[in-house]
Amino acid sequence: MLDARPEHVPTRIVALTVLGRLRARRGDPDAQTPLDQAWTLAERTGDLQRLWPTAAAKAELAWLRGSPEQIEEVVGDTYRLAVRLGHAWAAGELGYWRWVADASTWPAEVSANPYRLQMTGDWVDAARSWRRLGCPYEAALALAEGDDADQGLAALRELQRLGAWSAAELVARRLREHGVRRLPRQPRRATRGNPARLTSREIDVLRLMPEGLRNVDIAARLHISPKTVDHHVSAILAKLGVASRHAAARWVRDNPGALSENGESPGAM
């Protein structure tokens, strides 16, 4: 979208905001740049519809980076505009981020209900509301705000399932601080960057599968046991959602980025 319609400001604001927010939630590099670019464009419009999502995204990034003290400066003016205009969802989301920065903040009367529930401590009902709306990320964050360890673990697993690694790390840290042990492990950063969530060794095996090699031959090439290759092949088929080695080889041809740990095609700059 950024390449297709560079002259269309509303589209560009949305695309930059989505890109920045996605990078922030995944823990990818440089979430700040697209959000700053989106904010510069949004400020010129003075339009709440443009300002609100970008301000919320910048607030979320500040929280994920461990800098909640920056949130009020980011959202304050836009929040007050939302309240003045009576926009429930804008006031709710921006008010929620103000509450994240300062728990003594009270929701505005106009705030949308899921945010109001979170800010008043009714986290289970808030999560239920978010699920009904089809928002699993927000539902997980709501559950994570409570003091129940089982709910916190459920939130952590959901964030990991979504690939929301930045928030998952914050939730895991909070659970550890509350004495919770045996947290579900997060994949290594290289695995998280791969489009199919393949580990480094699985990538090595997958590179050889299109050659039609037997497991024993792959084992000899990689200096590992045939039994280990069996386990890797089974894991690869499951992660790719295919039923055979031939289908896996076809998937590789259609998705060359799967052969790189960072999601780029081999040789990409």
Side-chain angles (χ1 to χ4, degrees), residues 206 209-210 240 242-256:
L206 183 58
M209 287 172 66
L240 300 186
V242 298
S244 69
R245 300 165 71 98
H246 292 298
R250 187 164 55 250
W251 192 95
V252 170
R253 289 192 292 271
D254 294 339
N255 300 273

Side-chain angles (χ1 to χ4, degrees), residues 20-263:
R21 203 160 213 176
L22 180 61
R23 287 180 180 175
R25 291 181 179 183
R26 284 168 47 95
D28 292 343
D30 196 18
Q32 189 73 56
T33 297
L35 292 181
D36 286 346
Q37 292 172 351
W39 182 250
T40 297
L41 295 172
E43 273 194 309
R44 293 172 186 168
T45 71
D47 183 354
L48 178 63
Q49 185 178 353
R50 312 301 172 199
L51 292 165
W52 151 41
T54 307
K58 286 171 71 68
E60 183 177 356
L61 178 59
W63 171 67
L64 291 171
R65 287 179 167 179
S67 301
E69 71 281 356
Q70 298 175 1
I71 290 177
E72 177 60 31
E73 182 179 356
V74 168
V75 304
D77 290 343
T78 308
Y79 167 75
R80 287 182 281 275
L81 174 62
V83 171
R84 189 165 67 250
L85 296 177
H87 195 300
W89 286 99
E93 185 171 16
L94 298 172
Y96 165 76
W97 287 115
R98 295 180 77 235
W99 175 83
V100 167
D102 179 2
S104 66
T105 301
W106 197 252
E109 187 66 30
V110 71
S111 300
N113 194 52
Y115 291 115
R116 176 185 296 279
L117 290 170
Q118 283 180 256
M119 288 185 274
T120 54
D122 197 345
W123 297 297
V124 174
D125 279 349
R128 192 175 295 120
S129 295
W130 284 121
R131 289 195 201 97
R132 282 198 297 266
L133 291 168
C135 301
Y137 179 79
E138 287 77 5
L141 291 187
L143 274 186
E145 285 163 355
D147 295 324
D148 186 286
D150 289 337
Q151 291 176 2
L153 285 169
L156 176 59
R157 293 189 187 96
E158 178 67 357
L159 291 168
Q160 291 178 340
R161 184 188 71 80
L162 294 169
W165 305 114
S166 298
E169 288 170 2
L170 291 180
V171 172
R173 187 182 311 149
R174 184 180 181 201
L175 287 169
R176 284 192 292 269
E177 289 170 354
H178 284 77
V180 180
R181 299 293 180 262
R182 295 181 173 273
L183 299 179
R185 294 178 61 186
Q186 295 191 179
R188 295 167 57 193
R189 185 170 293 275
T191 301
R192 286 155 37 183
N194 181 271
R197 299 291 185 259
L198 300 171
T199 67
S200 298
R201 184 55 85 184
E202 287 166 355
I203 292 170
D204 292 337
V205 172
L206 183 58
R207 284 194 178 106
L208 297 174
M209 287 172 66
E211 297 182 24
L213 299 174
R214 299 174 301 162
N215 285 1
V216 66
D217 300 320
I218 294 175
R221 290 266 196 105
L222 298 178
H223 306 291
I224 56 179
S225 73
K227 186 174 182 179
T228 299
V229 175
D230 290 342
H231 289 309
H232 286 317
V233 170
S234 296
I236 289 167
L237 297 182
K239 289 182 179 182
L240 300 186
V242 298
S244 69
R245 300 165 71 98
H246 292 298
R250 187 164 55 250
W251 192 95
V252 170
R253 289 192 292 271
D254 294 339
N255 300 273
L259 297 182
S260 172
E261 292 183 5
N262 62 8

